[in-house]
Amino acid sequence: MADLTTPRSFQEIILRLQAYWAEKGCAIMQPYDMEVGAGTFHPATTLRSLGTRPWSAAYVQPSRRPTDGRYGDSPNRWQHYYQFQVIIKPSPPDLQEIYLGSLKAIGIDMDLHDIRFVEDDWESPTLGAWGLGWEVWCDGMEVSQFTYFQQVGGHDCHPVSGELTYGLERLAMYVLDCDDGNEMPFNDPDADIPLTYGDVFREAEAQYARWNFDVADTDILLQHFKDAEAECARILEQPADDLKTGRHIIMALPAYDQAIKASHVFNLLDARGVISVTERQAYIGRVRTLTKMCADAFVQTDAGGAASP
Amino acid sequence: MPDLLLELFSEEIPARMQRKAADDLKRLVTDGLVEAGLTYASAGAFATPRRLVLTVEDLTEASPTTTEERRGPKVGAPDKALEGFLRGAGVAREDLEEREDKKGTFYYARITTEGRPAAAIIADLVPQVIRNFPWPKSMRWGSGSLRWVRPLHSILCLLNREDGAEVVGFEVDGIPSGNTTEGHRFMAPGRFSVTSFEDYSAKLKGAFVVLSAEDRAEAIWHDATTMAFAAGLEVVPDKGLLAEVAGLVEWPVVLMGEIGADFLDLPAEVLQTSMREHQKFFSVRNPATGRIERFITVANRDTADQGATIIAGNAKVLSARLADAKFFWDNDLRVARDGMGDWRESLKSVTFERRLGSQSERVERIAALAREIAPMVRADPTAAETAARIAKADLSSEMVFEFPELQGIMGKYYAIEAGLDAEIAAVAEEHYAPLGPTDEVPTAPLSVAVALADKMDLLTGFWAIDEKPTGSKDPFALRRAALGVIRIVLDGSKRISLGPLLAGQVAFNYGASQFGDFQSAYRMLAASADNSGRDFVASDIWDKYLEQAGDVETDIVMEAKKVVPEISQNLLSFFHDRLKVHLRAENIRHDVIDAALAKPPTDDLTLIVARARALQAFLDTPEGENLIQGFKRAANILTQAEEKDGVEYRYGADVKFAETEEERALFKALEAANAAIAPALKAEDFAAAMSHMAHLRGPIDAFFEAVQVNAENDIIRRNRLNLLHQITETCGAVADLTRLEG
């Protein structure tokens, strides 16, 4: 299926990546329906990398980093952007080769480009997670993160998941040879109504940048953080046996939603500049405590590999 | 004799780990072989991004068979004891021998350990080495349990002799050893087999892999310099980068590209740092102007278009990077030209250390101290204070946030843009120096004042909160800071009394950690304490603080009065220890420094070192060594007599009680020496003082030869002991010679 022609639009790159990883057997999932800072936060990655059950998924995840907002004026920075995420457990022995196949699939000619695996250890203090791997470079540009998860939510990963993250805007700008991401064709440039990335997102970028930096009510956000934190703990405090159905239901996923929420609220507070350096560590620690609790709960569920009671 | 070839083929090994990993592989395998009884002629190890390789030449075929005799229990001992012995020795009862000696008849076992073939030894050893390999960081992958730096894919292990090669068979976590490997990932995919190291390295080269990191680095440097030279330019040398880049490629291809015209005006340090840190590019500069004009990148492959696509891609990435740098630079310039007020304001919200407050508070402490040090180093106090206030402003700049290693360098550029004098601007860069033992010390008076204040504040701060370096742990680089102070003071023989400065700053920092608001209280008090300077801080400030603050906790203040002098003294001792380490390079013995330290003042490093150098130089002469012997003899006799008599012999030696010529000559010589030494000491010319002492050697030797100190006549004896005391006094004028060892 490898199509060596160069893709013509942002969406074609996404479609080709989806088709490629579908062919490699991944479940093509959809984005998680919450605000997250990176594709790793999707429970399909964080929680599913825990436990012994094999797993294989790929998805696009819209991600938000409020501090990266540039009001739509930057050629390569947005507070809302897309990541393409692949997670396979256990990591297959030829994952590097399969990955390189995906670059071919989006039109990168291996005979003309210089692809390198450059050491880059990954760590997410809020997820209590770390792994070893590389930045993958194409002609000096980072096109992906390649990580073998060693620990998530404080739990050692057994077996180990292989995780790939493609920063889609940057990758697409490279493949489509665009210097300004806003000018990048989003759909087919020959379509009746051709749309650029800027047509789709520029307005939103300006609005969110203003809200993120100057308008978001920090008192409300601080309250949201506390609420999410409390709700997460409360959910996990519930006894596993549900009186109504008589079933054993540990609610790790709803609790994890609260952890995601707390994490995003923290990012917003950070963008509002109300978190000092010392407080910063404390907030990160609080989110990590939540994700760890969720991980502890998830490994007791069926999906988390626990033997059914 | 066979040669061993071992290759561990994996996914990409981090460049920074490759060299040590190759060395470790060689050490662990060769040590293991020798321990197992094999010998070899030579060994070599190599690393590329995807492989660790070991070759061992002329290995013995097998370990020798050895026999050992072991004595067992006495004949007739309980069966249990005998059974235990048989088990331990691994022999049967009928193989035992009985032999009689003085103590009785014992069982003896002869234990023969058969020699083992090299292949069997290797098959045991290599899996152990792999499983216990000392990677700085290792990982698991897939469903396995093996740890390696990145997934390990294949193991090639061969013993080859003239008649052919054999695979040494073993398995590690499902990976069997074999005789095949792979070449370049993209240029020569697919596996091939090899029969020897020669065959291996030749085939690898054919498959676009240069095995030796040194060869790769050499090729890169050669091609890079040639290419730059042809364009009339030169490559900025960077050994660390060269080694790293050589660890990122198996088939180095050097390519040169242009830097966009928009970016050529960025400071050279910014271009270099951005290119090196983010892109691992070499900087190429115009030797005439010093401007960075091009970049050199090292690709991992040849391409049909001679690298045109790769250069274009790299240039584009660089432009994006430099656009960021230029964005930071332009934003920073706005703040700088506005006087840097925003940055200094934002240092208030940056915590330096929880107990020591914000960066801004620390800057205030440094500024106050720099002002005080300034006159001692011929700097203008007001300029020193101003310089200290701006020296760390760039820590809040966007550029330094992005590239922390540019701290100080950006500060200098920005201070100039802020309209400050070049001398004040230079302080931003120079006050961090010296960073390493070979780094130059600052010499400009303003930079010296702020550099000393910065380091002394760091040390007193961490001393005040009891975070001293211990063993190998020195997270705040306090040893380096102390060495920096020592080197700056000694450079040009500056005369500074560290004691009051340290005590004042300890009080400052201790107060900050205890009261939080101590800084403002201090300034208020210091202002009203007419010029009494740091001594005031160390002595009276606590009482004044109590008077003024009123309801502040008395306990804390009383505690402070007690501990601040202790902490300061402890810190001064730390300086003494670092001074000993520093002077070791000059071959000045630690006991010589102790001897010098026994003479006050002990906080004037230049004076201490002058004494120590004079003493060491003196000790290195025959006269010196001899005089010390005479001195020690005098001191010993004197001490013994004083202990015995329970009195001190100090005064009243009088030449009129002298009985012998030698005694009279010594009186005379001492008088002459004292007369000559006093002005030398006053002039702090310790070498001259010691040379006058050297003249005493003859008279002292003659005295001991001719005279019995413990004479029958008590008056004569006392007179002689008092004379001995004079010897020790005179000889101890420069340093306390009793501290000398041996």
PDB file of all heavy atoms in Angstrom, chain A residues 41-67:
ATOM      1  N   PHE A  41      -1.944  11.360  27.146  1.00  0.00           N
ATOM      2  CA  PHE A  41      -2.948  11.395  28.209  1.00  0.00           C
ATOM      3  C   PHE A  41      -4.191  10.560  27.906  1.00  0.00           C
ATOM      4  O   PHE A  41      -4.930  10.191  28.802  1.00  0.00           O
ATOM      5  CB  PHE A  41      -3.378  12.843  28.493  1.00  0.00           C
ATOM      6  CG  PHE A  41      -2.440  13.560  29.413  1.00  0.00           C
ATOM      7  CD1 PHE A  41      -1.293  14.149  28.924  1.00  0.00           C
ATOM      8  CD2 PHE A  41      -2.700  13.629  30.774  1.00  0.00           C
ATOM      9  CE1 PHE A  41      -0.422  14.803  29.769  1.00  0.00           C
ATOM     10  CE2 PHE A  41      -1.832  14.281  31.633  1.00  0.00           C
ATOM     11  CZ  PHE A  41      -0.684  14.873  31.128  1.00  0.00           C
ATOM     12  N   HIS A  42      -4.445  10.325  26.631  1.00  0.00           N
ATOM     13  CA  HIS A  42      -5.580   9.466  26.225  1.00  0.00           C
ATOM     14  C   HIS A  42      -5.497   8.170  27.028  1.00  0.00           C
ATOM     15  O   HIS A  42      -4.434   7.550  27.083  1.00  0.00           O
ATOM     16  CB  HIS A  42      -5.422   9.178  24.725  1.00  0.00           C
ATOM     17  CG  HIS A  42      -6.665   8.651  24.055  1.00  0.00           C
ATOM     18  ND1 HIS A  42      -7.391   7.586  24.552  1.00  0.00           N
ATOM     19  CD2 HIS A  42      -7.272   9.019  22.898  1.00  0.00           C
ATOM     20  CE1 HIS A  42      -8.407   7.333  23.723  1.00  0.00           C
ATOM     21  NE2 HIS A  42      -8.370   8.199  22.712  1.00  0.00           N
ATOM     22  N   PRO A  43      -6.614   7.764  27.652  1.00  0.00           N
ATOM     23  CA  PRO A  43      -6.531   6.523  28.444  1.00  0.00           C
ATOM     24  C   PRO A  43      -6.097   5.324  27.599  1.00  0.00           C
ATOM     25  O   PRO A  43      -5.558   4.358  28.146  1.00  0.00           O
ATOM     26  CB  PRO A  43      -7.940   6.341  29.008  1.00  0.00           C
ATOM     27  CG  PRO A  43      -8.813   7.349  28.322  1.00  0.00           C
ATOM     28  CD  PRO A  43      -7.933   8.421  27.779  1.00  0.00           C
ATOM     29  N   ALA A  44      -6.289   5.405  26.283  1.00  0.00           N
ATOM     30  CA  ALA A  44      -5.843   4.307  25.411  1.00  0.00           C
ATOM     31  C   ALA A  44      -4.332   4.147  25.484  1.00  0.00           C
ATOM     32  O   ALA A  44      -3.798   3.093  25.138  1.00  0.00           O
ATOM     33  CB  ALA A  44      -6.272   4.566  23.966  1.00  0.00           C
ATOM     34  N   THR A  45      -3.632   5.179  25.898  1.00  0.00           N
ATOM     35  CA  THR A  45      -2.179   5.048  26.088  1.00  0.00           C
ATOM     36  C   THR A  45      -1.836   4.880  27.561  1.00  0.00           C
ATOM     37  O   THR A  45      -1.274   3.863  27.957  1.00  0.00           O
ATOM     38  CB  THR A  45      -1.427   6.252  25.499  1.00  0.00           C
ATOM     39  OG1 THR A  45      -1.532   6.208  24.083  1.00  0.00           O
ATOM     40  CG2 THR A  45       0.051   6.211  25.889  1.00  0.00           C
ATOM     41  N   THR A  46      -2.196   5.877  28.396  1.00  0.00           N
ATOM     42  CA  THR A  46      -1.764   5.792  29.796  1.00  0.00           C
ATOM     43  C   THR A  46      -2.234   4.513  30.453  1.00  0.00           C
ATOM     44  O   THR A  46      -1.439   3.722  30.944  1.00  0.00           O
ATOM     45  CB  THR A  46      -2.339   6.945  30.646  1.00  0.00           C
ATOM     46  OG1 THR A  46      -3.586   7.320  30.102  1.00  0.00           O
ATOM     47  CG2 THR A  46      -1.394   8.099  30.702  1.00  0.00           C
ATOM     48  N   LEU A  47      -3.548   4.334  30.484  1.00  0.00           N
ATOM     49  CA  LEU A  47      -4.068   3.214  31.275  1.00  0.00           C
ATOM     50  C   LEU A  47      -3.836   1.886  30.572  1.00  0.00           C
ATOM     51  O   LEU A  47      -3.492   0.891  31.195  1.00  0.00           O
ATOM     52  CB  LEU A  47      -5.543   3.440  31.599  1.00  0.00           C
ATOM     53  CG  LEU A  47      -5.791   4.679  32.484  1.00  0.00           C
ATOM     54  CD1 LEU A  47      -7.265   4.844  32.798  1.00  0.00           C
ATOM     55  CD2 LEU A  47      -4.987   4.597  33.782  1.00  0.00           C
ATOM     56  N   ARG A  48      -3.963   1.898  29.242  1.00  0.00           N
ATOM     57  CA  ARG A  48      -3.802   0.623  28.528  1.00  0.00           C
ATOM     58  C   ARG A  48      -2.365   0.136  28.471  1.00  0.00           C
ATOM     59  O   ARG A  48      -2.102  -1.004  28.092  1.00  0.00           O
ATOM     60  CB  ARG A  48      -4.358   0.750  27.107  1.00  0.00           C
ATOM     61  CG  ARG A  48      -5.868   0.905  27.062  1.00  0.00           C
ATOM     62  CD  ARG A  48      -6.555  -0.384  27.477  1.00  0.00           C
ATOM     63  NE  ARG A  48      -8.020  -0.239  27.426  1.00  0.00           N
ATOM     64  CZ  ARG A  48      -8.865  -1.269  27.420  1.00  0.00           C
ATOM     65  NH1 ARG A  48      -8.405  -2.509  27.474  1.00  0.00           N
ATOM     66  NH2 ARG A  48     -10.159  -1.058  27.388  1.00  0.00           N
ATOM     67  N   SER A  49      -1.416   1.010  28.797  1.00  0.00           N
ATOM     68  CA  SER A  49      -0.030   0.526  28.849  1.00  0.00           C
ATOM     69  C   SER A  49       0.228  -0.235  30.148  1.00  0.00           C
ATOM     70  O   SER A  49       1.285  -0.819  30.329  1.00  0.00           O
ATOM     71  CB  SER A  49       0.945   1.699  28.732  1.00  0.00           C
ATOM     72  OG  SER A  49       0.811   2.545  29.865  1.00  0.00           O
ATOM     73  N   LEU A  50      -0.766  -0.237  31.039  1.00  0.00           N
ATOM     74  CA  LEU A  50      -0.623  -0.957  32.302  1.00  0.00           C
ATOM     75  C   LEU A  50      -1.172  -2.370  32.171  1.00  0.00           C
ATOM     76  O   LEU A  50      -2.053  -2.638  31.360  1.00  0.00           O
ATOM     77  CB  LEU A  50      -1.397  -0.230  33.411  1.00  0.00           C
ATOM     78  CG  LEU A  50      -0.895   1.178  33.748  1.00  0.00           C
ATOM     79  CD1 LEU A  50      -1.937   1.935  34.571  1.00  0.00           C
ATOM     80  CD2 LEU A  50       0.430   1.101  34.485  1.00  0.00           C
ATOM     81  N   GLY A  51      -0.673  -3.262  32.995  1.00  0.00           N
ATOM     82  CA  GLY A  51      -1.198  -4.624  33.006  1.00  0.00           C
ATOM     83  C   GLY A  51      -0.645  -5.470  31.876  1.00  0.00           C
ATOM     84  O   GLY A  51       0.164  -5.015  31.062  1.00  0.00           O
ATOM     85  N   THR A  52      -1.117  -6.710  31.809  1.00  0.00           N
ATOM     86  CA  THR A  52      -0.509  -7.690  30.906  1.00  0.00           C
ATOM     87  C   THR A  52      -1.245  -7.849  29.584  1.00  0.00           C
ATOM     88  O   THR A  52      -0.729  -8.478  28.666  1.00  0.00           O
ATOM     89  CB  THR A  52      -0.482  -9.073  31.593  1.00  0.00           C
ATOM     90  OG1 THR A  52      -1.815  -9.356  32.042  1.00  0.00           O
ATOM     91  CG2 THR A  52       0.462  -9.069  32.786  1.00  0.00           C
ATOM     92  N   ARG A  53      -2.462  -7.290  29.462  1.00  0.00           N
ATOM     93  CA  ARG A  53      -3.227  -7.527  28.240  1.00  0.00           C
ATOM     94  C   ARG A  53      -2.595  -6.868  27.020  1.00  0.00           C
ATOM     95  O   ARG A  53      -2.314  -5.683  27.050  1.00  0.00           O
ATOM     96  CB  ARG A  53      -4.638  -6.970  28.404  1.00  0.00           C
ATOM     97  CG  ARG A  53      -5.494  -7.800  29.292  1.00  0.00           C
ATOM     98  CD  ARG A  53      -6.923  -7.305  29.171  1.00  0.00           C
ATOM     99  NE  ARG A  53      -7.786  -8.203  29.892  1.00  0.00           N
ATOM    100  CZ  ARG A  53      -8.911  -8.704  29.375  1.00  0.00           C
ATOM    101  NH1 ARG A  53      -9.301  -8.343  28.158  1.00  0.00           N
ATOM    102  NH2 ARG A  53      -9.643  -9.519  30.069  1.00  0.00           N
ATOM    103  N   PRO A  54      -2.437  -7.623  25.936  1.00  0.00           N
ATOM    104  CA  PRO A  54      -1.903  -7.020  24.710  1.00  0.00           C
ATOM    105  C   PRO A  54      -2.819  -5.893  24.234  1.00  0.00           C
ATOM    106  O   PRO A  54      -4.035  -5.899  24.479  1.00  0.00           O
ATOM    107  CB  PRO A  54      -1.908  -8.175  23.711  1.00  0.00           C
ATOM    108  CG  PRO A  54      -1.919  -9.407  24.547  1.00  0.00           C
ATOM    109  CD  PRO A  54      -2.683  -9.061  25.797  1.00  0.00           C
ATOM    110  N   TRP A  55      -2.241  -4.916  23.552  1.00  0.00           N
ATOM    111  CA  TRP A  55      -2.978  -3.737  23.150  1.00  0.00           C
ATOM    112  C   TRP A  55      -2.324  -3.156  21.915  1.00  0.00           C
ATOM    113  O   TRP A  55      -1.109  -3.225  21.759  1.00  0.00           O
ATOM    114  CB  TRP A  55      -2.986  -2.722  24.283  1.00  0.00           C
ATOM    115  CG  TRP A  55      -3.735  -1.453  24.024  1.00  0.00           C
ATOM    116  CD1 TRP A  55      -3.217  -0.222  23.779  1.00  0.00           C
ATOM    117  CD2 TRP A  55      -5.160  -1.300  23.986  1.00  0.00           C
ATOM    118  NE1 TRP A  55      -4.210   0.693  23.600  1.00  0.00           N
ATOM    119  CE2 TRP A  55      -5.414   0.060  23.718  1.00  0.00           C
ATOM    120  CE3 TRP A  55      -6.235  -2.190  24.148  1.00  0.00           C
ATOM    121  CZ2 TRP A  55      -6.716   0.560  23.605  1.00  0.00           C
ATOM    122  CZ3 TRP A  55      -7.510  -1.677  24.039  1.00  0.00           C
ATOM    123  CH2 TRP A  55      -7.753  -0.322  23.772  1.00  0.00           C
ATOM    124  N   SER A  56      -3.125  -2.593  21.036  1.00  0.00           N
ATOM    125  CA  SER A  56      -2.563  -2.032  19.816  1.00  0.00           C
ATOM    126  C   SER A  56      -3.548  -1.001  19.290  1.00  0.00           C
ATOM    127  O   SER A  56      -4.658  -1.347  18.895  1.00  0.00           O
ATOM    128  CB  SER A  56      -2.362  -3.167  18.798  1.00  0.00           C
ATOM    129  OG  SER A  56      -2.006  -2.654  17.551  1.00  0.00           O
ATOM    130  N   ALA A  57      -3.154   0.264  19.343  1.00  0.00           N
ATOM    131  CA  ALA A  57      -4.090   1.307  18.937  1.00  0.00           C
ATOM    132  C   ALA A  57      -3.353   2.470  18.309  1.00  0.00           C
ATOM    133  O   ALA A  57      -2.166   2.679  18.560  1.00  0.00           O
ATOM    134  CB  ALA A  57      -4.874   1.800  20.166  1.00  0.00           C
ATOM    135  N   ALA A  58      -4.081   3.211  17.467  1.00  0.00           N
ATOM    136  CA  ALA A  58      -3.524   4.429  16.880  1.00  0.00           C
ATOM    137  C   ALA A  58      -4.659   5.440  16.782  1.00  0.00           C
ATOM    138  O   ALA A  58      -5.808   5.065  16.552  1.00  0.00           O
ATOM    139  CB  ALA A  58      -2.941   4.148  15.502  1.00  0.00           C
ATOM    140  N   TYR A  59      -4.310   6.707  16.988  1.00  0.00           N
ATOM    141  CA  TYR A  59      -5.369   7.721  16.942  1.00  0.00           C
ATOM    142  C   TYR A  59      -4.755   9.104  16.805  1.00  0.00           C
ATOM    143  O   TYR A  59      -3.586   9.304  17.153  1.00  0.00           O
ATOM    144  CB  TYR A  59      -6.235   7.657  18.208  1.00  0.00           C
ATOM    145  CG  TYR A  59      -5.448   7.737  19.497  1.00  0.00           C
ATOM    146  CD1 TYR A  59      -5.148   8.972  20.083  1.00  0.00           C
ATOM    147  CD2 TYR A  59      -4.997   6.577  20.130  1.00  0.00           C
ATOM    148  CE1 TYR A  59      -4.423   9.057  21.252  1.00  0.00           C
ATOM    149  CE2 TYR A  59      -4.259   6.650  21.307  1.00  0.00           C
ATOM    150  CZ  TYR A  59      -3.971   7.887  21.864  1.00  0.00           C
ATOM    151  OH  TYR A  59      -3.233   7.966  23.024  1.00  0.00           O
ATOM    152  N   VAL A  60      -5.571  10.027  16.315  1.00  0.00           N
ATOM    153  CA  VAL A  60      -5.193  11.430  16.343  1.00  0.00           C
ATOM    154  C   VAL A  60      -5.685  12.003  17.668  1.00  0.00           C
ATOM    155  O   VAL A  60      -6.785  11.669  18.096  1.00  0.00           O
ATOM    156  CB  VAL A  60      -5.886  12.199  15.199  1.00  0.00           C
ATOM    157  CG1 VAL A  60      -5.589  13.694  15.307  1.00  0.00           C
ATOM    158  CG2 VAL A  60      -5.448  11.661  13.851  1.00  0.00           C
ATOM    159  N   GLN A  61      -4.866  12.822  18.319  1.00  0.00           N
ATOM    160  CA  GLN A  61      -5.350  13.463  19.532  1.00  0.00           C
ATOM    161  C   GLN A  61      -5.138  14.969  19.454  1.00  0.00           C
ATOM    162  O   GLN A  61      -4.005  15.434  19.449  1.00  0.00           O
ATOM    163  CB  GLN A  61      -4.631  12.923  20.774  1.00  0.00           C
ATOM    164  CG  GLN A  61      -5.116  13.556  22.079  1.00  0.00           C
ATOM    165  CD  GLN A  61      -6.591  13.289  22.348  1.00  0.00           C
ATOM    166  OE1 GLN A  61      -7.046  12.142  22.302  1.00  0.00           O
ATOM    167  NE2 GLN A  61      -7.368  14.352  22.589  1.00  0.00           N
ATOM    168  N   PRO A  62      -6.217  15.735  19.368  1.00  0.00           N
ATOM    169  CA  PRO A  62      -6.070  17.186  19.491  1.00  0.00           C
ATOM    170  C   PRO A  62      -5.511  17.490  20.888  1.00  0.00           C
ATOM    171  O   PRO A  62      -5.978  16.902  21.858  1.00  0.00           O
ATOM    172  CB  PRO A  62      -7.501  17.716  19.379  1.00  0.00           C
ATOM    173  CG  PRO A  62      -8.325  16.560  18.897  1.00  0.00           C
ATOM    174  CD  PRO A  62      -7.613  15.312  19.284  1.00  0.00           C
ATOM    175  N   SER A  63      -4.518  18.356  20.943  1.00  0.00           N
ATOM    176  CA  SER A  63      -3.852  18.602  22.219  1.00  0.00           C
ATOM    177  C   SER A  63      -3.769  20.101  22.463  1.00  0.00           C
ATOM    178  O   SER A  63      -3.693  20.884  21.527  1.00  0.00           O
ATOM    179  CB  SER A  63      -2.441  18.004  22.194  1.00  0.00           C
ATOM    180  OG  SER A  63      -2.497  16.638  21.834  1.00  0.00           O
ATOM    181  N   ARG A  64      -3.745  20.476  23.734  1.00  0.00           N
ATOM    182  CA  ARG A  64      -3.731  21.902  24.054  1.00  0.00           C
ATOM    183  C   ARG A  64      -2.570  22.222  24.989  1.00  0.00           C
ATOM    184  O   ARG A  64      -2.434  21.589  26.036  1.00  0.00           O
ATOM    185  CB  ARG A  64      -5.038  22.283  24.755  1.00  0.00           C
ATOM    186  CG  ARG A  64      -6.236  22.006  23.908  1.00  0.00           C
ATOM    187  CD  ARG A  64      -7.395  22.762  24.480  1.00  0.00           C
ATOM    188  NE  ARG A  64      -8.645  22.335  23.865  1.00  0.00           N
ATOM    189  CZ  ARG A  64      -9.728  23.096  23.830  1.00  0.00           C
ATOM    190  NH1 ARG A  64      -9.697  24.305  24.385  1.00  0.00           N
ATOM    191  NH2 ARG A  64     -10.830  22.656  23.263  1.00  0.00           N
ATOM    192  N   ARG A  65      -1.801  23.200  24.560  1.00  0.00           N
ATOM    193  CA  ARG A  65      -0.762  23.737  25.447  1.00  0.00           C
ATOM    194  C   ARG A  65      -0.943  25.240  25.493  1.00  0.00           C
ATOM    195  O   ARG A  65      -0.408  25.966  24.657  1.00  0.00           O
ATOM    196  CB  ARG A  65       0.627  23.386  24.925  1.00  0.00           C
ATOM    197  CG  ARG A  65       0.924  21.927  25.151  1.00  0.00           C
ATOM    198  CD  ARG A  65       2.339  21.543  24.899  1.00  0.00           C
ATOM    199  NE  ARG A  65       2.434  20.091  25.029  1.00  0.00           N
ATOM    200  CZ  ARG A  65       3.377  19.340  24.511  1.00  0.00           C
ATOM    201  NH1 ARG A  65       4.340  19.904  23.788  1.00  0.00           N
ATOM    202  NH2 ARG A  65       3.386  18.047  24.667  1.00  0.00           N
ATOM    203  N   PRO A  66      -1.690  25.717  26.469  1.00  0.00           N
ATOM    204  CA  PRO A  66      -2.072  27.133  26.489  1.00  0.00           C
ATOM    205  C   PRO A  66      -0.877  28.082  26.374  1.00  0.00           C
ATOM    206  O   PRO A  66      -0.972  29.116  25.737  1.00  0.00           O
ATOM    207  CB  PRO A  66      -2.772  27.287  27.841  1.00  0.00           C
ATOM    208  CG  PRO A  66      -3.294  25.924  28.161  1.00  0.00           C
ATOM    209  CD  PRO A  66      -2.313  24.965  27.583  1.00  0.00           C
ATOM    210  N   THR A  67       0.267  27.725  26.979  1.00  0.00           N
ATOM    211  CA  THR A  67       1.409  28.650  26.946  1.00  0.00           C
ATOM    212  C   THR A  67       1.998  28.794  25.547  1.00  0.00           C
ATOM    213  O   THR A  67       2.749  29.723  25.284  1.00  0.00           O
ATOM    214  CB  THR A  67       2.536  28.181  27.894  1.00  0.00           C
ATOM    215  OG1 THR A  67       2.738  26.797  27.664  1.00  0.00           O
ATOM    216  CG2 THR A  67       2.184  28.424  29.335  1.00  0.00           C
TER     217      THR A  67
END
